[in-house]
Amino acid sequence: DTGVSQDPRHKITKRGQNVTFRCDPISEHNRLYWYRQTLGQGPEFLTYFQNEAQLEKSRLLSDRFSAERPKGSFSTLEIQRTEQGDSAMYLCASSSYNEQFFGPGTRLTVL
Amino acid sequence: TQLLEQSPQFLSIQEGENLTVYCNSSSVFSSLQWYRQEPGEGPVLLVTVVTGGEVKKLKRLTFQFGDARKDSSLHITAAQPGDTGLYLCAGAGKSGGSNYKLTFGKGTLLTVNP
């Protein structure tokens, strides 16, 4: 039974660098979500896809952030010109109906 | 303003004790999900409640959705050290909005001491 997988699990980068994260959802799930979680907070919604279409984006998703799901399967989240405030856990989830199943997350540290 | 308020924020109890944690909102949700998260890991789905007044049981865990679908509670009977973790509630379909975007509370950090 394969769940949601994310790669890498940890990323340390210097301010100003670009980073890209990958998410592989549960295979039969057509919806994919990205969330961000900082210390002491619950996850905050960033964006979601239905198949390859990006249907909603949060105000949190500045123009430095871009997400894609080119073939309706895996997704990538890219952050350009990283800032220290981008340090967080980036979580991916997938669903076929309303129940969302999360991956293990990518911990980003921006120095 | 936090849309979903969870209380208490921290809870430390001894093995064998019972506890209840709460998730409250002024908004109506079409469904509410409870997750448990361990450090450095993603949240793991425990249950989804959809109908006002609904009660669901998962072994020693009992979940209730308020009649007005604005609040929920999680009760754990005879807590065990393995129950330690961050318990998060998340609502979908806030006030008739998107059913796909989850709004999370800050969580209750539970520690069960042996």
Side-chain angles (χ1 to χ4, degrees), chain B residues 19-91:
Chain B
L19 66 115
T20 302
V21 299
Y22 301 93
C23 174
N24 295 302
S25 176
S26 57
S27 300
V28 175
F29 290 94
S30 61
S31 67
L32 198 137
Q33 299 176 15
W34 282 92
Y35 292 84
R36 181 168 147 264
Q37 186 177 27
E38 297 192 14
E41 299 293 330
V44 175
L45 180 65
L46 298 174
V47 79
T48 298
V49 285
V50 177
T51 306
E54 182 177 6
V55 177
K56 281 193 174 179
K57 292 191 175 183
L58 184 66
K59 296 183 181 178
R60 294 176 294 100
L61 278 60
T62 302
F63 304 85
Q64 185 162 6
F65 201 12
D67 290 342
R69 289 186 287 128
K70 292 182 179 182
D71 53 82
S72 182
S73 64
L74 159 59
H75 181 80
I76 302 179
T77 303
Q80 299 176 359
D83 295 327
T84 293
L86 179 68
Y87 288 82
L88 292 159
C89 68

Side-chain angles (χ1 to χ4, degrees), chain A residues 37-81:
Chain A
Q37 186 177 24
T38 53
L39 201 61
Q41 303 292 322
E44 294 175 292
F45 171 82
L46 293 178
T47 188
Y48 97 91
F49 293 83
Q50 181 161 320
N51 301 312
E52 66 275 11
Q54 188 173 17
L55 295 186
E56 188 170 345
K57 293 196 292 185
S58 163
R59 292 191 308 272
L60 293 174
L61 215 65
S62 75
D63 56 5
R64 296 185 298 107
F65 288 70
S66 62
E68 294 183 344
R69 195 183 182 198
K71 296 182 179 179
S73 56
F74 73 92
S75 175
T76 58
L77 177 68
E78 180 183 16
I79 309 174
Q80 295 183 326
R81 305 181 302 282

Side-chain angles (χ1 to χ4, degrees), chain A residues 9-13 19 21 65 79 82-84 86-90 106-110:
Chain A
R9 293 291 311 275
H10 304 274
K11 179 69 177 179
I12 300 174
T13 191
V19 294
F21 310 140
F65 288 70
I79 309 174
T82 52
E83 301 173 356
Q84 288 184 323
D86 297 331
S87 295
M89 174 79 92
Y90 289 83
T106 295
R107 168 72 65 188
L108 172 66
T109 303
V110 181

